[in-house]
Amino acid sequence: MKRLLYILPLLLFLACDRQNQQDPTPIGYLSVGGIELSCEGEVIPLSRAVDAGLRVQVWQNGAMVEGKDFAPGTDFSKRIVLPVGSNYTVKAFTPKQSEAAGNEAGIPVYSVESSPFAVLEGDITTLSLIVPQINVGVGISCDNLFITNFTDISVTVLSESGRSVTIQGAGDSAFRYFTVPTSAKLQYTVKAKNLDGEAMEKTCDLPVTAKNYKIQLSI
């Protein structure tokens, strides 16, 4: 009788173990089909290995899914395994989003969150993302007549945050980047000297949204 009692718990244990093996957490798959950067309507395709500047995270119900925080440069050629469920989103963004300090050029900042999607058992959900620029780039462009008639050309761009950047010389066409100001405008001051050596200075407002601008200097 005791022998039968010993065998019964063992059988129950084996039955439970088999049930656990037969009922694993159901899973589905996410395939990141493509990530593209967007600025002013221009779309810049990226490879399946995410651009070095973008971080990618998978979220569900307002919380990041454990183990689904992908560093810049992660290769997404393989599918991402996820538990079956709904209300998933994918975020892709530039990790460093704070405005550059002092007279530094700064960098373009990109960010997006996908629409919610569901992961179904055994199915592959394919997701493509267009990631827009969310800060302001400012550069200058001088026509030949302006360059011929003026020297010592500089443009100082000032944001309401107090960030000030000076672009020195007509040949500097690189963008400087600013967080979009609450006032939706930047201020810039153009300085130059004419052929007689007389100094010229003019300050203007530049209405802005999240995109790149060229300040055109011309006569």
Side-chain angles (χ1 to χ4, degrees):
M1 186 67 175
K2 289 183 179 181
R3 186 177 179 184
L4 291 175
L5 291 176
Y6 289 143
I7 293 174
L8 182 59
L10 178 61
L11 291 174
L12 290 174
F13 173 77
L14 292 174
C16 291
D17 186 57
R18 288 195 191 95
Q19 185 177 11
N20 289 335
Q21 291 178 2
Q22 292 170 0
D23 297 321
T25 301
I27 61 171
Y29 304 94
L30 172 65
S31 174
V32 180
I35 297 180
E36 298 175 318
L37 302 180
S38 173
C39 180
E40 299 180 76
E42 179 184 4
V43 176
I44 307 167
L46 301 179
S47 64
R48 290 177 69 87
V50 173
D51 177 78
L54 290 182
R55 190 173 201 90
V56 176
Q57 297 175 339
V58 181
W59 287 60
Q60 185 182 31
N61 296 321
M64 190 179 70
V65 179
E66 184 177 356
K68 306 305 178 185
D69 182 8
F70 303 100
T74 298
D75 183 3
F76 284 102
S77 59
K78 295 182 179 180
R79 295 171 295 182
I80 300 171
V81 179
L82 292 170
V84 167
S86 59
N87 294 321
Y88 280 103
T89 61
V90 171
K91 297 182 181 182
F93 57 93
T94 305
K96 185 179 179 181
Q97 299 194 6
S98 58
E99 194 172 50
N103 209 34
E104 297 176 8
I107 59 172
V109 175
Y110 298 89
S111 183
V112 77
E113 182 173 5
S114 73
S115 299
F117 61 90
V119 173
L120 305 178
E121 185 172 2
D123 281 359
I124 302 172
T125 301
T126 300
L127 183 70
S128 296
L129 293 173
I130 295 179
V131 190
Q133 181 177 316
I134 61 170
N135 62 350
V136 183
V138 180
I140 66 171
S141 178
C142 302
D143 65 19
N144 291 332
L145 193 57
F146 191 90
I147 295 172
T148 300
N149 286 274
F150 291 93
T151 61
D152 297 338
I153 301 167
S154 70
V155 177
T156 299
V157 185
L158 177 66
S159 177
E160 66 183 16
S161 67
R163 171 170 159 73
S164 177
V165 179
T166 298
I167 304 171
Q168 195 74 44
D172 187 347
S173 59
F175 286 107
R176 273 62 170 182
Y177 293 92
F178 297 81
T179 299
V180 178
T182 304
S183 63
K185 66 179 181 180
L186 298 170
Q187 187 181 81
Y188 67 93
T189 299
V190 180
K191 294 182 180 181
K193 290 182 180 179
N194 62 21
L195 297 179
D196 295 326
E198 298 171 327
M200 179 202 78
E201 181 175 326
K202 185 176 182 180
T203 298
C204 301
D205 286 337
L206 176 65
V208 294
T209 57
K211 63 179 185 178
N212 295 332
Y213 295 83
K214 281 284 187 180
I215 298 170
Q216 182 68 42
L217 303 181
S218 59
I219 297 178

